[in-house]
Amino acid sequence: MSSGLVEAIAVIDQRLLPGELVVRRLETVEAVVDAIATLAVRGANVIGSAGGLGLALGIRQGLDANTTAEQLIAARPTAVNLAVAVNLVLAAHDAGEDPLERALALLAEDTEQTRLIGEFGRAELAGVTTVLTHCNTGRLATTGWGTALGVVYAKQAAGEEIHVIATETRPLRQGARLTAWELHASGVDVALIPDSAAASALAQGRVGAVIVGADRIAANGDTANKIGTRALAVAAHHEGVPFYVAATLNAVDLGTVSGDAIEIEERGAGEMLEGIPVPIPVWNPAFDVTPAHLIAGIITEAGVLKPPFDASLKGAIA
Ligand code: MRU
């Protein structure tokens, strides 16, 4: 892909993993929006990357930049990384810069930021040999080694002992299909558990720390992440196990004062009624909010932020 001449975006279709590794060429903005909305491309950081490239693609094809940016941002509402990346590429275009160059620079920044998260997290979790994680935050969800999983890979790279308990992550099973698969393929010791077994694993002392990603962090530290994260934080607090969030700072939304103001995406009944041919009413929120007081630290590329998060987040972003 040469600068300014983006013709298509190649993505792994994550819906088909791990059974099939299919790379799709997204040649239109509609295809990018659809890939993000249907979770072919998923994970906060990667949807930001795809959104930025999608805008560069649309501009290249002569579409109106503002309208295209709006369409891309609307593809998924909770992960703020998407809007941040699209708006940065839009601002570059408005300033007369090459939008593709800006989008590609964001990808490279993401890779480096996740490397730093891994290293800061490794230092913070020195001595922790088993972590429990939720959803997928690794090589499929970022352009680098990941946020929460970046810490795992950093420990592995440093030759430290590390075991991972991965929750299945219902209903779309990102933990089972993606996290367990990617860790296993990378030679990391991983055990898959049903979501409902997490509280027992914590109670039985099997977990040294819980570490998850983030889709949006409010100014007070309240954090939106995959549905089920809040229950993990509550259970970890009950058992005295530290609960960490690992995220690039572009997941921080200082314009959102607290978790109550974060829009939570609700997804269709079809994700839950597979194999159930009855039109049962379904509530299927894709994310929940973990209150800041349950979070021991937020591991970022600028270091590990500690409570009170309103001050530490502001300091890290300033
Ligand atoms: O619905 P998904 O699969 O996009 O949800 C992803 C998560 O909740 C991740 O934990 C989050 O995006 C962080 S990925 C670095």
Side-chain angles (χ1 to χ4, degrees):
M1 199 189 294
S2 63
S3 179
L5 294 174
V6 56
E7 284 173 1
I9 304 167
V11 298
I12 293 173
D13 189 336
Q14 298 194 35
R15 295 168 301 189
L16 305 177
L17 289 173
E20 285 176 79
L21 180 59
V22 173
V23 176
R24 294 201 189 286
R25 267 175 72 86
L26 309 177
E27 296 180 356
T28 63
V29 170
E30 286 71 32
V32 178
V33 169
D34 183 70
I36 294 172
T38 61
L39 274 59
V41 174
R42 54 141 299 281
N45 294 57
V46 152
I47 65 175
S49 302
L53 287 169
L55 179 54
L57 179 72
I59 291 169
R60 158 88 179 145
Q61 293 176 347
L63 300 179
D64 176 72
N66 289 301
T67 313
T68 305
E70 277 168 28
Q71 287 168 347
L72 286 160
I73 289 170
R76 291 194 82 185
T78 303
V80 73
N81 313 55
L82 175 58
V84 168
V86 169
N87 283 327
L88 285 171
V89 173
L90 182 62
H93 170 67
D94 289 346
E97 294 162 25
D98 179 351
L100 178 60
E101 236 169 62
R102 188 71 184 102
L104 292 174
L106 290 176
L107 264 69
E109 283 170 25
D110 185 65
T111 309
E112 173 60 8
Q113 287 162 356
T114 57
R115 190 189 67 77
L116 290 167
I117 286 173
E119 289 304 337
F120 284 123
R122 183 170 79 84
E124 176 73 13
L125 299 187
V128 171
T129 54
T130 302
V131 296
L132 185 146
T133 193
H134 190 55
C135 198
N136 175 265
T137 61
R139 291 176 171 142
L140 294 162
T142 69
T143 61
W145 59 10
T147 54
L149 289 193
V151 178
V152 169
Y153 289 126
K155 278 179 163 283
Q156 183 194 35
E160 294 175 16
E161 181 182 353
I162 184 68
H163 310 277
V164 178
I165 297 175
T167 57
E168 194 180 10
T169 319
R170 288 271 167 185
L172 294 179
R173 302 175 75 229
Q174 289 94 329
R177 293 188 303 105
L178 307 176
T179 297
W181 173 72
E182 99 167 60
L183 289 175
H184 183 72
S186 303
V188 176
D189 179 59
V190 56
L192 180 64
I193 62 168
D195 296 326
S196 43
S200 299
L202 286 157
Q204 290 172 14
R206 295 171 185 251
V207 180
V210 177
I211 179 163
V212 298
D215 288 85
R216 190 180 298 237
I217 302 171
N220 70 346
D222 290 351
T223 295
N225 190 52
K226 179 52 56 191
I227 190 74
T229 302
R230 181 188 176 108
L232 290 175
V234 170
H237 187 252
H238 186 73
E239 305 300 343
V241 175
F243 178 95
Y244 286 91
V245 169
T248 47
L249 284 171
N250 54 15
V252 178
D253 179 8
L254 292 182
T256 297
V257 277
S258 72
D260 295 343
I262 298 176
E263 184 182 346
I264 300 296
E265 175 185 4
E266 293 194 10
R267 298 189 61 85
E271 291 180 356
M272 299 200 52
L273 295 180
E274 225 184 290
I276 305 172
V278 186
I280 298 163
V282 158
W283 179 51
N284 183 20
F287 302 96
D288 58 24
V289 175
T290 297
H293 71 90
L294 297 179
I295 301 171
I298 301 177
I299 305 166
T300 75
E301 67 271 27
V304 182
L305 310 183
K306 292 287 170 72
F309 292 117
D310 44 3
S312 54
L313 286 167
K314 228 182 261 168
I317 282 179

